[in-house]
Amino acid sequence: MNTPLAPEAVIATGARAASVTRNTAETKITVKLDLDGTGRAKLSTGIGFFDHMLDQIARHGLIDLDIDCQGDLHIDGHHTVEDVGITLGQAVAKAVGDKKGIRRYGHAYVPLDEALSRVVIDFSGRPGLVMDVPFTSGMIGTFDSQLTYEFFQGFANHAFVTLHIDNLKGVNAHHQCETVFKAFARALRAALELDPRSAGVIPSTKGSL
Ligand SMILES: [Mn+2]
C-alpha cells in the first residue's frame, strides 16, 4: 500500500520503505526510499551527472528516492559516490527485510543509441561485484567515470547482492554510464518484485538468504 507523497519531498512511508543516515568525517548522507514507489526522486549530491544517474535508478526501478549528501567535494567525488552507494545499499537491505516473496533474481539489457549494457542481480546474501565497463572517457561532466565501480562495490557490499555489470557496446561515456544505471534499475526492480506464486516464501532451498 502506497501513501501519496507530498510533492515537495519524497518521504518513505510504505511497507517496503526505509531511511538510513550515515555520517562520517568525509560525508553526511541521508537516504530515504520506498521500493514500491512510482519513481519520484529528490537528489542532492553536489555532482550533477551523479544525480542524473541516481534519477535513473528511481525512474526505471520505480523506487521513490530521496538522497541528500554533504560530501568532501573540495577533495574530489570519491567519498561522495562511494558512500552514497554504501548508504543506498544499507537502505535497500533494510527495506527488503527477510526477502519473503521476492523474485530474488533480476536482469536487464538497456540500450541508448550506440551503447548497450547488461546487469544481472541476485539478492543472494553474498556480496559480490563483477564489472566490465571500458569507459571511453575519464570524466563525464564533473563525475569521474572510475567512481562507477566504487558506487556499485559499496552498494553490493551493503545490500548483500551479487552483481554482474557489463557494458557490451558504447562509444560515448555518458551513454555507457547511463545504460549501466538504467539496466541496474530494471534488474533491481525485477529482483525486488513480489511474486504472487511464492507469497511469503523465501526464494532459497536453504530457507534463508
Ligand atoms: Mn543522459
Side-chain angles (χ1 to χ4, degrees):
M1 181 78 80
N2 289 324
T3 305
L5 301 172
E8 69 278 11
V10 176
I11 305 297
T13 52
R16 295 203 300 167
S19 177
V20 174
T21 295
R22 183 179 187 275
N23 293 328
T24 72
E26 297 171 341
T27 57
K28 301 195 187 316
I29 299 172
T30 295
V31 172
K32 297 175 192 169
L33 57 76
D34 187 338
L35 300 181
D36 302 301
T38 58
R40 308 172 72 156
K42 184 164 170 273
L43 307 162
S44 179
T45 67
I47 303 173
F49 183 77
F50 187 40
D51 287 349
H52 182 43
M53 293 300 98
L54 295 170
D55 201 17
Q56 306 307 324
I57 296 176
R59 177 71 52 196
H60 296 286
L62 291 181
I63 294 169
D64 289 339
L65 192 56
D66 182 342
I67 298 180
D68 183 77
C69 174
Q70 309 292 323
D72 54 1
L73 294 177
H74 60 286
I75 297 174
D76 65 8
H78 196 116
H79 304 138
T80 291
V81 174
E82 180 178 16
D83 293 0
V84 166
I86 289 170
T87 313
L88 181 63
Q90 290 173 336
V92 167
K94 195 172 168 185
V96 78
D98 63 9
K99 305 175 195 170
K100 272 184 186 157
I102 68 167
R103 294 193 191 275
R104 175 178 169 179
Y105 301 101
H107 69 272
Y109 286 82
V110 170
L112 198 177
D113 297 340
E114 90 295 345
L116 173 66
S117 293
R118 177 187 63 216
V119 174
V120 184
I121 190 167
D122 174 13
F123 274 78
S124 57
R126 297 186 302 278
L129 172 64
V130 182
M131 182 166 147
D132 185 1
V133 181
F135 280 113
T136 57
S137 173
M139 296 301 290
I140 309 168
T142 60
F143 178 81
D144 178 353
S145 63
Q146 285 190 326
L147 299 182
T148 308
Y149 184 89
E150 305 305 319
F151 173 81
F152 286 113
Q153 182 75 262
F155 179 86
N157 283 344
H158 291 269
F160 299 96
V161 297
T162 305
L163 196 51
H164 286 257
I165 299 175
D166 290 274
N167 172 246
L168 306 171
K169 304 272 183 190
V171 174
N172 179 279
H174 184 125
H175 289 173
Q176 288 178 296
C177 200
E178 190 161 329
T179 55
V180 163
F181 275 82
K182 283 177 169 170
F184 170 70
R186 280 295 179 127
L188 190 61
R189 174 180 162 189
L192 290 172
E193 198 170 56
L194 294 170
D195 183 349
R197 292 184 62 198
S198 62
V201 176
I202 293 170
S204 168
T205 52
K206 285 194 304 242
S208 71
L209 282 171

